């Protein structure tokens, strides 16, 4: 459970270009508590299907039950999970491939390490949601997808992806001033707003949905994501209703302590490339400006591959969500 799973499925779908369907299996259960979640394979699953499981700690018993279902149906199974975890053992029993999860030092301190499953559930720290966890889980699956011919992610492409993430980290780090830091700039623009995340392209759509989830889960900020051109219809009323920029003009006599400022909508436009004559981006920008709604735009620069495009969009928006979370921490 968490934002990483949905983003992983979205990115594999976009990068595969429709060559194979990718289905996200969502958990069911009475509560998101350890041991309460269950996953069920779709009814059509059989020997020609591949089950990918990504787990940052490998202790959820419902996933072991899922692997048993896959084994009975003849599915191939690959799990990305810490070595020595219960899920890694269950993968071996299901005759699957267990890829050891590689974590950053900060993630290890947060409790994602082999043997962490021995700690009582109530004593385990909350799992991180930031970019490190997503790429730790996703990168082995990208390499696997390249090996089976689903998408292009050879070793040189993965190295270029890592370099791109490093470059974004340098541009968006806390030591970089806001005026030259795209993540800090975006976070400042989204303060006291309801972000409407409009996307163009499958990779941008995946990044937009992930951004909305991380804003809610990490920064506690509501956000809505939609793909263009449908977003113009889905969110058009929000630009002229109570959240419109001109719906609640500034009251000079407002008590700024007891009466906080009303939240207004702000459009965040995520694109994969410069818009062409068939792009809905210009119409989206024009509609927002007609409704006096400010627009923040984010587009990768000099991306040499879809992987680098996804990396830049995800990394900058993840940094922005972290800055918003820090700004709202008392």
């Amino acid at each position: 459970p968490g934002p990483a799973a949905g983003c992983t499925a979205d990115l594999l779908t976009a990068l595969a270009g429709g060559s194979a369907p990718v289905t996200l299996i969502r958990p069911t259960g009475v509560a998101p508590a350890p041991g309460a979640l269950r996953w069920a394979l779709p009814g059509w699953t059989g020997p020609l299907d591949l089950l990918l499981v990504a787990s940052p700690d490998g202790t959820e018993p419902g996933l072991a039950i899922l692997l048993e279902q896959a084994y009975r149906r003849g599915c191939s199974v690959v799990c990305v999970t810490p070595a020595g975890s219960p899920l890694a053992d269950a993968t071996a029993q299901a005759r699957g491939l267990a890829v050891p999860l590689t974590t950053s030092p900060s993630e290890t301190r947060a409790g994602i390490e082999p043997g962490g499953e021995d700690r009582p559930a109530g004593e385990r720290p909350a799992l991180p949601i930031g970019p490190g966890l997503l790429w730790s889980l996703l990168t082995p699956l990208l390499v696997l997808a390249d090996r089976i011919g689903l998408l292009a992610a050879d070793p040189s492409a993965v190295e270029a992806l890592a370099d791109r993430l490093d470059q974004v980290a340098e541009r968006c780090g806390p030591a970089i001033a806001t005026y030259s830091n795209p993540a800090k700039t975006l976070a400042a623009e989204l303060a006291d707003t309801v972000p409407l995340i409009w996307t163009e392209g499958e990779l941008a759509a995946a990044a937009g949905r992930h951004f909305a989830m991380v804003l809610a889960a990490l920064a506690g900020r509501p956000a809505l994501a939609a793909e263009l051109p449908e977003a113009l219809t889905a969110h058009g009323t929000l630009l002229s209703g109570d959240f419109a920029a001109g719906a609640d003009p500034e009251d000079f006599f407002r008590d700024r302590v007891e009466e906080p400022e009303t939240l207004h909508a702000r459009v965040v436009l995520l694109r994969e490339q410069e818009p062409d004559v068939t792009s809905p981006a210009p119409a989206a920008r024009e509609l927002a400006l007609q409704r006096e709604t400010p627009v923040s735009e984010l587009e990768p620069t000099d991306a040499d591959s879809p992987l680098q495009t996804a990396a830049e969009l995800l990394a900058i928006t993840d940094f922005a969500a972290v800055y918003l979370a820090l700004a709202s921490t008392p």
Side-chain angles (χ1 to χ4, degrees):
C7 188
T8 297
D10 276 348
L11 285 176
L12 290 177
T13 300
L15 293 169
S19 60
V22 180
T23 300
L24 174 64
I25 303 177
R26 301 185 183 277
T28 59
V30 296
L37 297 178
R38 292 292 182 270
W39 288 260
L41 290 174
W44 44 259
T45 309
L48 296 180
D49 296 308
L50 169 65
L51 175 65
L52 304 177
V53 181
S55 174
D57 64 353
T59 62
E60 182 58 60
L63 291 177
I65 297 174
L66 175 66
L67 264 58
E68 293 178 6
Q69 298 177 38
Y71 178 74
R72 289 196 300 267
R73 297 199 195 180
C75 286
S76 299
V77 174
V78 174
C79 292
V80 180
T81 188
S85 67
L87 183 59
D89 294 339
T91 305
Q93 294 176 9
R95 299 185 179 180
L97 171 64
V99 181
L101 176 67
T102 301
T103 57
S104 68
S106 62
E107 290 165 345
T108 301
R109 288 194 299 270
I112 304 179
E113 68 271 341
E117 66 276 1
D118 296 331
R119 300 169 59 184
E123 296 181 7
R124 295 179 200 147
L127 298 179
I129 303 175
L133 174 61
L134 171 63
W135 292 106
S136 293
L137 295 171
L138 178 61
T139 303
L141 300 182
L142 291 174
V143 175
L144 172 68
D146 176 79
R147 296 285 181 89
I148 63 177
L150 185 63
L151 52 84
D154 59 22
S156 62
V158 174
E159 286 292 335
L161 167 66
D163 292 340
R164 190 72 170 197
L165 290 171
D166 286 341
Q167 294 168 7
V168 175
E170 292 175 357
R171 293 166 51 205
C172 298
I176 306 301
T178 300
Y179 65 85
S180 59
N181 186 322
K184 284 186 178 180
T185 298
L186 180 58
E189 292 173 345
L190 296 183
D192 300 321
T193 70
V194 176
L196 303 180
I197 305 169
W198 294 355
T199 62
E200 182 180 7
E202 291 189 16
L203 287 173
R209 286 189 288 269
H210 181 70
F211 189 29
M213 292 185 65
V214 172
L215 282 174
L218 187 62
R221 301 295 182 94
L224 298 173
E227 300 179 45
L228 292 172
E230 291 88 349
L232 303 181
T233 302
H235 295 168
T237 305
L238 293 172
L239 303 185
S240 57
D242 293 338
F243 292 106
D248 183 24
E250 177 68 17
D251 182 1
F252 180 79
F253 298 101
R254 174 174 60 85
D255 188 325
R256 284 160 174 74
V257 176
E258 298 184 359
E259 300 178 28
E261 186 176 355
T262 302
L263 296 179
H264 295 303
R266 184 181 187 98
V267 171
V268 180
L269 186 57
L270 302 184
R271 299 193 311 271
E272 297 178 19
Q273 58 187 2
E274 192 67 29
D276 55 22
V277 293
T278 63
S279 170
R285 189 185 302 110
E286 182 179 356
L287 173 64
L289 296 179
Q290 286 177 352
R291 303 289 176 83
E292 300 180 352
T293 301
V295 179
S296 300
E297 300 192 36
L298 187 60
E299 176 189 344
T301 56
D302 303 324
D304 296 329
S305 70
L307 272 178
Q308 295 184 33
T309 296
E312 181 154 340
L313 289 173
L314 288 167
I316 293 178
T317 51
D318 274 333
F319 269 106
V322 171
Y323 286 130
L324 275 172
L326 293 174
S328 60
T329 301

